[in-house]
Amino acid sequence: MATGRPALYEVFDDRFRTEKCSAGDLQLETLHVGSRWAEGPLYLPAWRQLIWSDIPNDRMLRWDEASGAVSLFRSPAGHSNGNTLDREGRLITCEQGNRRITRTEHDGSITVLADRYRGKRLNSPNDAAVKSDGSIWFSDPDFGITSDYEGVRGESEIGANNVYRVDPATGEVQLVADCFGAPNGLVFSADESELYVSDTRAGCIRVFDVRDDRTLSEGKIFAEAGAREEARFDNLRFDDRGHLWAAAMDDGVHCYAPDATLLGRILVPNTVSNIRFGGRRRNRLFITANDTLYSLVMGVTAAPTAM
C-alpha cells in the first residue's frame, strides 16, 4: 500500500534487504536545524547525548536524547570538525581552525596532542580514529586553510595532504599514508587489520593493510564514485555485519558489502557530511547534512570496538 512518503532507501543488490540494511525506520527523524555546516557527530553513551561540530559558526552543539533539547557545548571550538573518544572516554577533536588535534580531559582542560609534523604546522585535521593500542590516526587535508569559511585561510607548510599517527607513549607524529587529493574520513576494520580512508577529491575510498610495525601498505582502491556523479566521499563507519557505510554527500549514504559491492543507499534531502552510530543499542544512525542533524533507527548496529 502506498504511504505517500518519499522512499528512504534505494536498493542495488538484494543483500541490502536480506542483511537488514534497509530494516528499521521508514523516514528520517529531524533532530535539529540551524547549523551553518554540520559535521563530526559523536554519541556519548554515558550521558545519552550527541555532540557535533558547526564548523563555520566555530561552535560545537549538544543534543540530549532524553529531552530532545539542543544546547551549546563549546564556543569557540577551533572550527572543529571530526570528534571521537579515546580508550579512557576522553574527547578527541580535530580543530581545523587551530590546525591541531586536541584531547578534552575529564576535568575539562584541553591537551594538544598534535599540531606539527617535523616542525611544520599541520594543514587542518579533519577526522580521527583511535586504535586499541591508544594511538590516534588522523587525516589532514587542506579544507580549513583554503578559505576563512571552515577555518583560517593560510598556506600549507607541509605541502601535501596526508594521514598521520600519534604515538600514545611518545606523542610522536608519524606519516603513515600520502598521495591523496584530500584524505577525509577514516575507520579501522573490526579487527584493526585494515584502515579505510576516503579521498574526497579523488572520488574514492582506499583501504590499507595495517602492518605489525604500525605502518601501512601502499593501499588499493576499495570503492569509487564512478558513474554516480553526485557522490563525493566524506566519513566512514562499519556496522556489525561488516558493511561499510559512507557519507556520500549529494548522493546520500552509501552501503558497501565486504566485497566492495554497492548494495544500496539512504536517500537524504540535502548534502550528507558525516554519519555515526549511537543510541543505547548502537543501532541509531546520526547524519549531519548541511544545516541539519538527522537520525535513523536501523536493523544493523555499530561494529564492536576492538579490545
Side-chain angles (χ1 to χ4, degrees):
M1 180 181 295
T3 64
R5 293 194 297 260
L8 180 59
Y9 305 99
E10 184 174 10
V11 180
F12 304 128
D13 186 295
D14 196 53
R15 285 175 288 176
F16 195 62
R17 294 190 184 93
T18 61
E19 297 176 6
K20 306 300 181 184
C21 300
S22 58
D25 288 347
L26 297 179
Q27 59 185 345
L28 295 169
E29 180 181 2
T30 300
L31 303 179
H32 180 261
V33 179
S35 298
R36 194 174 295 275
W37 176 250
E39 295 215 37
L42 173 66
Y43 185 78
L44 306 172
W47 295 276
R48 292 187 60 198
Q49 295 179 347
L50 181 108
I51 62 172
W52 75 97
S53 300
D54 182 1
I55 302 176
N57 285 326
D58 193 16
R59 63 179 182 172
M60 296 171 69
L61 298 173
R62 169 174 46 206
W63 170 80
D64 184 85
E65 188 173 26
S67 67
V70 172
S71 59
L72 182 67
F73 176 77
R74 178 179 292 167
S75 179
H79 294 91
S80 63
N81 193 324
N83 299 285
T84 193
L85 294 176
D86 71 6
R87 293 292 165 160
E88 297 182 35
R90 297 170 296 187
L91 175 64
I92 305 297
T93 299
C94 300
E95 298 184 10
Q96 288 192 164
N98 291 331
R99 302 171 73 160
R100 66 187 190 179
I101 302 288
T102 62
R103 182 178 66 216
T104 302
E105 308 296 347
H106 292 304
D107 64 4
S109 62
I110 294 177
T111 300
V112 177
L113 301 179
D115 60 359
R116 296 178 183 272
Y117 171 65
R118 293 185 173 177
K120 297 180 179 180
R121 294 186 71 192
L122 300 172
N123 295 329
S124 55
N126 185 283
D127 195 15
V130 178
K131 202 166 177 283
S132 58
D133 64 0
S135 59
I136 298 169
W137 304 57
F138 68 93
S139 57
D140 186 41
D142 57 6
F143 300 141
I145 59 173
T146 56
S147 75
D148 292 316
Y149 187 72
E150 291 189 58
V152 179
R153 183 169 56 185
E155 296 296 322
S156 172
E157 296 184 11
I158 295 172
N161 300 321
N162 302 321
V163 173
Y164 300 95
R165 174 187 182 272
V166 182
D167 187 275
T170 66
E172 178 188 2
V173 178
Q174 172 191 0
L175 173 67
V176 292
D178 55 12
C179 299
F180 292 97
N184 198 322
L186 72 170
V187 65
F188 287 102
S189 60
D191 63 1
E192 298 186 336
S193 64
E194 296 175 319
L195 180 70
Y196 291 73
V197 183
S198 67
D199 189 333
T200 302
R201 291 198 181 109
C204 67
I205 300 169
R206 293 167 63 185
V207 57
F208 302 82
D209 294 327
V210 181
R211 301 188 180 112
D212 291 339
D213 64 356
R214 302 167 183 170
T215 62
L216 300 178
S217 66
E218 290 187 5
K220 61 183 179 181
I221 300 295
F222 175 79
E224 294 183 279
R228 306 198 63 82
E229 296 180 358
E230 301 302 316
R232 290 174 294 144
F233 296 117
D234 203 300
N235 87 319
L236 311 168
R237 293 291 162 218
F238 274 106
D239 68 26
D240 62 335
R241 295 173 181 261
H243 306 114
L244 180 68
W245 296 83
M249 305 196 84
D250 292 325
D251 208 44
V253 179
H254 286 193
C255 175
Y256 293 92
D259 64 8
T261 301
L262 177 59
L263 301 181
R265 66 182 182 128
I266 300 171
L267 305 177
V268 181
N270 41 21
T271 303
V272 178
S273 58
N274 278 188
I275 55 176
R276 190 85 180 210
F277 286 102
R280 285 183 290 180
R281 297 185 178 180
R282 307 202 314 153
N283 65 337
R284 190 171 190 172
L285 186 68
F286 295 94
I287 302 170
T288 51
N290 286 116
D291 63 348
T292 304
L293 173 67
Y294 297 105
S295 81
L296 176 67
V297 179
M298 305 187 70
V300 296
T301 66
T305 301
M307 301 301 291

